[in-house]
Amino acid sequence: MKTPREHQPYEGHRERTRQRYLSQGIDGLLPEEVLELLISCVIPRQDVKPIGIRLIERFGSLDGVLQASIHDLQQVAGVGPQTAMLLSMILPVHRAYEKSRFGAKPVLSNAARAARYARALSEGRTTEDFYCLSLDAQYRLRSAELLHEGTIDETAVYPREVVQSALRNSAQYCMMVHNHPGAGAQPSPEDYETTERVQNALLGIGIILLDHIVVSDQEYFSFFDAGVLDGNLSQPQQRLAMRTSAMRMEGLHRMPDFGEVPEGTATYGK
């Protein structure tokens, strides 16, 4: 006859936490309680509340825990490979969810929609990452290629890599997007220089650089909206345009909600 398993003291606490989640949602839980419920999926027969507390103490916040590397997570007592892998997957899964809301081939016909897509690509990233977006003649996304993962404050971008990506994906139009983690979306002087070099390189093969979008958590900057790029193949007067645009902020906007197109948003090609 099978002996009944002895009830553990922590099980009452965990069940109350689960019930609070079911009735109040995640907003009803403390950060360490969120981690406790997640970790209990990997370690179901152990009191994991202390692990959640240690994680918050080590990384400072729930955000810090979820952005930590698998290696760093495993330096915390009680966190093994499976727990570290589960925690490290939360933000990538959220990015995949955000991208999936756009569908397989979203139409990025204005800066607001393109910025929202760029935000989905960079959600939770702690490095400055650079993507090349290749679009067809109807502004439908053909490919979003990550060309560089930079340090926390810089990324190296080479025009030939953008050209190769655009050609590889048979782009009619091309768009550059990158993030400024932990900072505002105002472009740096290097961002203006990169925009000029990439546009001139694409101009030589007949591909239009529609926009260069810089995103942060709460805002984005569009070089198209700022008047630096006009969506045409005509030879641009880049130096003057960039010096002028660098002193004004017409391209800086609040990050829109999903599906929102703010009033006055200009459409590419019009």
Side-chain angles (χ1 to χ4, degrees), residues 194-245:
T194 295
T195 302
E196 178 182 5
R197 290 189 293 113
V198 169
Q199 183 180 30
N200 288 336
L202 289 172
L203 186 67
I205 57 171
I207 295 177
I208 297 172
L209 180 63
L210 274 183
D211 208 342
H212 181 180
I213 292 179
V214 185
V215 299
S216 65
D217 288 342
Q218 304 297 329
E219 59 189 15
Y220 72 93
F221 184 94
S222 162
F223 281 68
F224 176 84
D225 286 351
V228 177
L229 299 172
D230 62 8
N232 293 309
L233 277 174
S234 55
Q235 184 67 41
Q237 294 182 338
Q238 289 288 3
R239 294 294 181 182
L240 177 59
M242 288 183 184
R243 284 198 300 268
T244 305
S245 185

Side-chain angles (χ1 to χ4, degrees), residues 66-258:
L66 299 182
Q67 289 183 355
S69 68
I70 289 178
H71 176 270
D72 288 345
L73 289 167
Q74 289 186 87
Q75 306 310 303
V76 176
V79 177
Q82 288 183 309
T83 298
M85 184 174 70
L86 173 65
L87 295 176
S88 71
M89 287 178 64
I90 301 300
L91 287 180
V93 168
H94 181 65
R95 280 197 294 272
Y97 159 72
E98 288 288 340
K99 285 175 59 180
S100 73
R101 298 174 75 188
F102 287 87
K105 295 182 177 181
V107 176
L108 306 180
S109 56
N110 59 66
R113 185 164 172 79
R116 188 64 203 183
Y117 185 81
R119 183 72 184 89
L121 294 174
S122 64
E123 188 81 33
R125 292 188 181 274
T126 57
T127 56
E128 185 170 312
D129 301 331
F130 180 92
Y131 284 84
C132 176
L133 275 55
S134 295
L135 311 177
D136 67 14
Q138 287 73 47
Y139 309 110
R140 187 176 293 107
L141 182 69
R142 298 181 64 90
S143 173
E145 286 196 37
L146 175 62
L147 297 187
H148 280 281
E149 280 186 278
T151 65
I152 195 169
D153 59 359
E154 64 177 347
T155 184
V157 180
Y158 299 99
R160 69 174 180 274
E161 294 177 311
V162 178
V163 168
Q164 289 168 356
S165 178
L167 290 174
R168 188 162 52 243
N169 293 289
S170 303
Q172 179 76 30
Y173 300 107
C174 195
M175 193 180 297
M176 301 190 300
V177 301
H178 78 276
N179 61 318
H180 281 177
Q186 184 171 350
S188 66
E190 291 76 18
D191 292 334
Y192 282 94
E193 178 66 25
T194 295
T195 302
E196 178 182 5
R197 290 189 293 113
V198 169
Q199 183 180 30
N200 288 336
L202 289 172
L203 186 67
I205 57 171
I207 295 177
I208 297 172
L209 180 63
L210 274 183
D211 208 342
H212 181 180
I213 292 179
V214 185
V215 299
S216 65
D217 288 342
Q218 304 297 329
E219 59 189 15
Y220 72 93
F221 184 94
S222 162
F223 281 68
F224 176 84
D225 286 351
V228 177
L229 299 172
D230 62 8
N232 293 309
L233 277 174
S234 55
Q235 184 67 41
Q237 294 182 338
Q238 289 288 3
R239 294 294 181 182
L240 177 59
M242 288 183 184
R243 284 198 300 268
T244 305
S245 185
M247 295 183 290
R248 64 178 191 263
M249 297 307 298
E250 285 89 339
L252 190 66
H253 307 283
R254 172 187 62 83
M255 181 63 68
D257 294 330
F258 179 79

